[in-house]
Amino acid sequence: MKSQGKFEDKLRVAINAKADKICPSEDMFLQINRKIKNKNMEGMNMKLFSVKKTRGILVACMLLAFTSITCFAAAKIASYTSHSTNDTFAEYPSENEVKKEAGFVPKYVDELSGGYAFQNGGVGETKAEAEDGSAVVTLKTATFSYKNGESTVNLLVENGVLPGADETGDIVKISDNIEGRYHSDTYKMLPPDYVMTEQDKADAESGKYVFSYGSEEIEVLHMQQISWEDNGMSYALINSDDGVNKDVLVKMAGEIVNK
């Protein structure tokens, strides 16, 4: 899936959600991650992204987009392409298993504050592409989903740091030596054949909603994300069901950083 424009911090992969609806950018999370990064890039007049729907990938795509919007203006990034799966790890994986499937070993845990336990995980990659379609940067990704009842929190890790810096969102202190960025946006997911109304266009222009195509039906999701860098890797925790708040996400991030 390709998302155009800027994306905020790093493309992210997973959001889970509604469990099985992740979009291909590999998971709506990825798409959302990118959207955030796009906010830092010039040339994006309206927050509108397309996502190809694939069961189990829609929300993940959002995740990626949400976490992936860094400034690539200097490299003239025109779009991002990402793909991933959420079924590589049906059970909590060992570091050796993650290394074998993802090609790198990030920090991850088997449970997070508030009763969130590991549910599944996957691997993939994210590409930042130039206008001619050539890949400027390609990063391997690993995603881990945690559930507590009907609520899900997704962890997306990229094996590297995309060009540019995330200068949007609230600065949060995760540990004594690591700070992150908190983002909160409302996404309106649209069916592939949906035609935006004048009100939709006005809502996109005002920033009320970030629009994405790829859902089976119109759906509004409140996306929260905390992103940070640690030991040369990019991390993002994402939630789309309001099961947690900013303070809880910061605490969860600290548990991963201090593993």
Side-chain angles (χ1 to χ4, degrees):
M1 157 202 143
K2 290 189 178 181
S3 299
Q4 296 182 340
K6 319 168 179 182
F7 291 21
E8 189 178 47
D9 226 304
K10 304 141 197 168
L11 301 169
R12 263 95 207 148
V13 178
I15 244 189
N16 137 16
K18 302 208 156 203
D20 293 354
K21 290 180 181 172
I22 299 178
C23 76
S25 170
E26 261 308 60
D27 293 349
M28 247 177 182
F29 282 156
L30 292 179
Q31 182 184 6
I32 291 180
N33 177 291
R34 298 181 177 187
K35 293 182 180 180
I36 294 178
K37 290 192 172 189
N38 285 331
K39 292 178 181 179
N40 292 329
M41 296 173 68
E42 298 179 356
M44 182 173 174
N45 298 320
M46 182 169 67
K47 298 175 183 177
L48 175 62
F49 300 79
S50 294
V51 290
K52 188 185 210 177
K53 187 179 90 56
T54 313
R55 181 176 179 69
I57 293 178
L58 182 60
V59 176
C61 286
M62 289 184 63
L63 179 84
L64 177 57
F66 184 74
T67 55
S68 130
I69 294 175
T70 292
C71 184
F72 286 91
K76 296 183 179 180
I77 300 301
S79 66
Y80 297 87
T81 299
S82 39
H83 66 82
S84 71
T85 65
N86 67 339
D87 60 0
T88 305
F89 308 120
E91 297 181 352
Y92 185 71
S94 67
E95 291 189 351
N96 285 338
E97 291 174 319
V98 173
K99 174 68 174 179
K100 176 182 177 181
E101 299 294 338
F104 68 106
V105 180
K107 290 182 179 180
Y108 62 100
V109 294
D110 59 349
E111 59 182 15
L112 293 168
S113 291
Y116 285 80
F118 176 83
Q119 180 189 32
N120 56 38
V123 299
E125 67 177 22
T126 293
K127 292 181 181 180
E129 300 177 339
E131 293 182 356
D132 62 2
S134 61
V136 176
V137 179
T138 299
L139 297 180
K140 296 293 184 180
T141 62
T143 58
F144 306 87
S145 292
Y146 301 85
K147 283 190 70 70
N148 178 12
E150 296 301 313
S151 179
T152 302
V153 171
N154 291 277
L155 170 64
L156 169 66
V157 189
E158 295 170 339
N159 188 25
V161 178
L162 293 172
D166 178 6
E167 299 178 350
T168 64
D170 299 333
I171 297 176
V172 294
K173 188 174 182 61
I174 297 175
S175 69
D176 290 340
N177 57 1
I178 292 182
E179 291 185 337
R181 292 275 183 171
Y182 171 79
H183 295 276
S184 175
D185 288 290
T186 301
Y187 286 76
K188 190 169 185 178
M189 308 309 300
L190 307 173
D193 58 352
Y194 181 88
V195 178
M196 291 184 70
T197 65
E198 290 304 314
Q199 183 61 56
D200 289 332
K201 295 176 182 178
D203 289 341
E205 187 66 28
S206 68
K208 180 178 181 179
Y209 295 124
V210 177
F211 290 83
S212 287
Y213 282 93
S215 177
E216 293 182 349
E217 57 186 21
I218 297 176
E219 184 175 16
V220 175
L221 297 175
H222 175 217
M223 303 296 299
Q224 300 180 83
Q225 170 188 291
I226 292 226
S227 59
W228 70 95
E229 297 173 8
D230 186 7
N231 195 30
M233 299 180 193
S234 303
Y235 291 76
L237 272 176
I238 303 170
N239 174 258
S240 66
D241 53 37
D242 288 325
V244 297
N245 58 26
K246 176 181 177 180
D247 291 339
V248 174
L249 281 177
V250 172
K251 183 176 181 180
M252 290 176 169
E255 292 169 353
I256 295 168
V257 167
N258 294 319
K259 178 187 176 183

